[in-house]
């Protein structure tokens, strides 16, 4: 292959990666079109503390929006998005975005999940443990075969009205959370 051919292929590869760097915006499921459904899961700090819609409402006071970031410790793409959140913490605070980390589908101990978050420097963020996927199933966030698909981020306004559901978290992930209207 000629040098020109190699350069062409490298350029095409680079362009495909730039396109892949965009975050994926998904259609809001019907369960989320008007409001956030009631829910009850566990607080990550303690198995015995409930985490509900009223808990979320209370912790979102003073913020313009809330981002519920769904993740699992075994999901490499989730780790990439969570790393972006850790590195852009100040930006999100300045934009008045409250980030809530929702661990889904894992029946692991709180300690394992807390160690994972500490490793990513996210242990100061509020979070939930949802081993039975209530925050996915009740909210209509799954694929056609009713399987969990990660990563997912649900952005809510200050009144907890759903604004945006994101799938793949590209390089513009944090900016979309902070600027979506």
């Amino acid at each position: 292959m000629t040098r020109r051919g190699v350069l062409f292929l490298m350029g095409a590869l680079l362009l495909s990666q730039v396109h892949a760097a965009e975050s994926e915006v998904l259609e809001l499921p019907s369960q989320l079109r008007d409001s956030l459904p009631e829910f009850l899961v566990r607080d990550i700090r303690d198995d015995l503390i409930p985490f509900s819609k009223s808990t979320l409402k209370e912790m979102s006071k003073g913020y313009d929006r809330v981002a519920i970031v769904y993740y699992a410790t075994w999901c490499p793409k989730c780790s990439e998005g969570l790393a972006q959140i850790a590195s852009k913490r100040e930006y999100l605070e300045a934009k008045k975005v409250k980030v809530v980390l929702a661990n889904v589908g894992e029946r692991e101990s709180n300690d394992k999940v807390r160690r994972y978050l500490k490793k990513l420097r996210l242990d100061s963020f509020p979070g939930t443990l949802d081993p039975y996927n209530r925050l996915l199933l009740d909210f209509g966030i799954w694929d056609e075969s009713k399987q969990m698909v990660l990563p997912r981020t649900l952005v809510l306004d200050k009144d907890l009205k759903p604004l945006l559901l994101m799938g793949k978290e590209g390089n513009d992930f944090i900016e979309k959370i902070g600027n979506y209207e």
Side-chain angles (χ1 to χ4, degrees):
M1 180 175 278
T2 67
R3 179 183 164 124
R4 188 176 193 174
V6 169
L7 289 174
F8 175 78
L9 286 175
M10 288 175 63
L13 179 62
L14 181 62
L15 283 175
S16 71
Q17 300 232 345
V18 168
H19 179 68
E22 293 180 14
S23 295
E24 177 184 28
V25 175
L26 305 170
E27 183 178 341
L28 282 171
S30 60
Q31 293 93 319
L32 296 175
R33 294 252 167 71
D34 298 320
S35 66
L36 193 66
E38 293 293 332
F39 64 90
L40 182 62
V41 292
R42 300 178 308 186
D43 192 297
I44 196 162
R45 296 168 292 177
D46 187 330
D47 277 347
L48 303 176
I49 298 175
F51 193 100
S52 65
K53 185 176 177 179
S54 61
T55 309
L56 190 60
K57 183 70 174 164
E58 186 64 31
M59 76 172 39
S60 67
K61 286 183 179 174
Y63 290 89
D64 292 338
R65 64 189 63 216
V66 176
I68 301 174
V69 181
Y70 297 90
Y71 73 97
T73 60
W74 49 260
C75 172
K77 294 289 185 188
C78 298
S79 295
E80 292 171 18
L82 291 171
Q84 286 188 60
I85 290 169
S87 69
K88 300 287 186 164
R89 179 185 314 250
E90 292 81 20
Y91 172 84
L92 292 165
E93 282 291 324
K95 288 290 192 172
K96 296 187 147 215
V97 177
K98 182 69 168 184
V99 174
V100 176
L101 305 174
N103 178 271
V104 291
E106 295 187 275
R107 293 181 179 89
E108 304 292 338
S109 71
N110 280 7
D111 290 337
K112 176 184 177 186
V113 177
R114 283 195 290 259
R115 281 192 309 271
Y116 171 79
L117 292 175
K118 185 173 182 124
K119 184 175 117 183
L120 292 175
R121 299 174 311 148
L122 293 166
D123 50 324
S124 64
F125 283 90
T128 69
L129 293 171
D130 183 15
Y132 302 104
N133 299 328
R134 300 309 334 151
L135 292 175
L136 290 171
L137 297 171
D138 294 350
F139 291 11
I141 303 172
W142 58 66
D143 71 4
E144 305 79 41
S145 61
K146 306 255 191 245
Q147 296 296 313
M148 173 173 52
V149 178
L150 295 174
R152 291 289 184 263
T153 299
L154 178 61
V155 179
L156 313 166
D157 71 9
K158 63 184 173 186
D159 298 316
L160 303 185
K161 181 179 184 333
L163 298 173
L164 170 71
L165 178 63
M166 295 175 63
K168 181 178 60 172
E169 299 160 342
N171 292 337
D172 60 348
F173 169 56
I174 301 298
E175 287 73 26
K176 279 200 186 308
I177 291 173
N179 294 316
Y180 191 78
E181 297 298 328

